[in-house]
Amino acid sequence: MREMMRDYLKNNDISIKDGTDVNSIMRDMMSVLLEGALDEELDEELGYSKYDYRNKETDNSRNGHSSKTMHTSYGDMDVAIPRDRNGDYEPQLIKKYQNTVTQDMEEKILSMYAKGMTTGDIESHMRELYDIDISDSTISRITDKILPIVKEWQERPLEEVYAVVFMDAIHYHVRSEGRIVKRAVYIALGIDMNGKKDVLGMYVGENESAKFWLSIMNGLKNRGVEDILIACVDGLNGFPQAIEAVYPKTEIQQCIIHQIRNSTKFVSYKDIKKLMADLKLVYAAPTEETALNELELFKDKWDSKYPKIYKSWHDNWATLSTYFKYPEAVRRLIYTTNAIEGFNRQLRKVTKSKTVFPSDDSLLKMLYLATMDITKKWTGHRQDWGQIHSQLEIYFEERLIGRNL
């Protein structure tokens, strides 16, 4: 190969001064290789090689070539695609509607899409860096290849038992039938009995509803999840009942972070610091009894100005106070380091450049690719998982007996 390249450069008086020259040579070599391989494909299809008419056993024959522009990591190049007279031959190396060659380039496009770049940004980026002209529609076709993989990922088998499953929905604007509508993306994030974190599912639906969550619960059951020890959810009406219908033994913890956010939504900036300090005395109390006493003190101090806050905490106390039954390590797992909040924040960071998505599929593609990008860093379990696991074994001993977990 070295001798061949040396002769090629010498005989054609080619000097390499920079990366552009290298790209040009690689493009020429790739073109020759592809055209040779395509001619071999047609030889096999027809059953005889060019000019070998004595072995011809078909009424079909070669019919020249058609030119096709292919996008590669080395730039655009023209490839001569052989044709047959009967039109029976369909190239396999470069398929009928394919206009990209290297998997490497497609991976670059998918990686940029996963980072939240728009198709327009990707188009200009590819032109500036690789001197490749690639259209929005081509980028969409490349990213569309992800959709069957997303479906397979959504239906993959899961673990039998999860220690905690966090469930939440984030909202995006999507164009539908000429209108801009709001879509809820339902996310279930689980921590298994080995302490490993994983996104169990992600689904695009209409505005968040308990009915849709019920279908997701049934989906998790069908994918092998027999038990969820603790489910951490937002304050959506009917959510606990939807979980109970499928997993009657699961203990429900309403997300403290969501509750705090909803409680302080309309508080004056002058009061927010003092009010948050008093509210922290409630949710960070060492025992439920102390928390209830602090909640009453909070009512006496703030009820005249913000009556809805106390009422909300009081009405939802049954699911807000679940974590008080657990030991400290388990309690921290549930509300102090809420896993799904961090995950959602990373998704929003990726999608912040997209105010409106052209379709539900476009939204799902970007979120799936972003999820794969985010979760590849989730390689181990929490450092304190040994302590958490032993406490879970004690608290949920009856449910874990016989499962070897």
Side-chain angles (χ1 to χ4, degrees), residues 9-54:
L9 296 173
K10 183 179 179 181
N11 295 335
N12 292 278
D13 194 25
I14 296 173
S15 60
I16 298 176
K17 297 177 181 177
D18 53 33
T20 303
D21 295 332
V22 174
N23 278 357
S24 178
I25 293 170
M26 294 300 293
R27 194 163 57 239
D28 290 343
M29 289 179 63
M30 186 180 290
S31 175
V32 171
L33 287 169
L34 286 173
E35 288 173 354
L38 289 166
D39 285 334
E40 288 290 334
E41 270 190 11
L42 185 55
D43 287 349
E44 189 174 339
E45 173 81 15
L46 297 176
Y48 71 99
S49 59
K50 195 173 184 181
Y51 308 122
D52 185 16
Y53 295 108
R54 286 176 297 180

Side-chain angles (χ1 to χ4, degrees), residues 29 91 100-101 153 159 178 218 249 260 268 272 282 310-311 353 355:
M29 289 179 63
T100 59
V101 176
W153 175 77
E159 298 290 328
N218 284 317
K249 294 182 179 180
I260 293 169
S268 167
I272 190 69
V282 178
Y310 170 82
K311 185 177 187 308
S353 63
T355 53

Side-chain angles (χ1 to χ4, degrees), residues 112-128:
M112 287 186 279
Y113 200 78
K115 295 291 192 296
M117 291 179 68
T118 65
T119 53
D121 291 337
I122 295 172
E123 183 183 354
S124 60
H125 190 74
M126 296 298 284
R127 187 183 301 112
E128 289 171 11

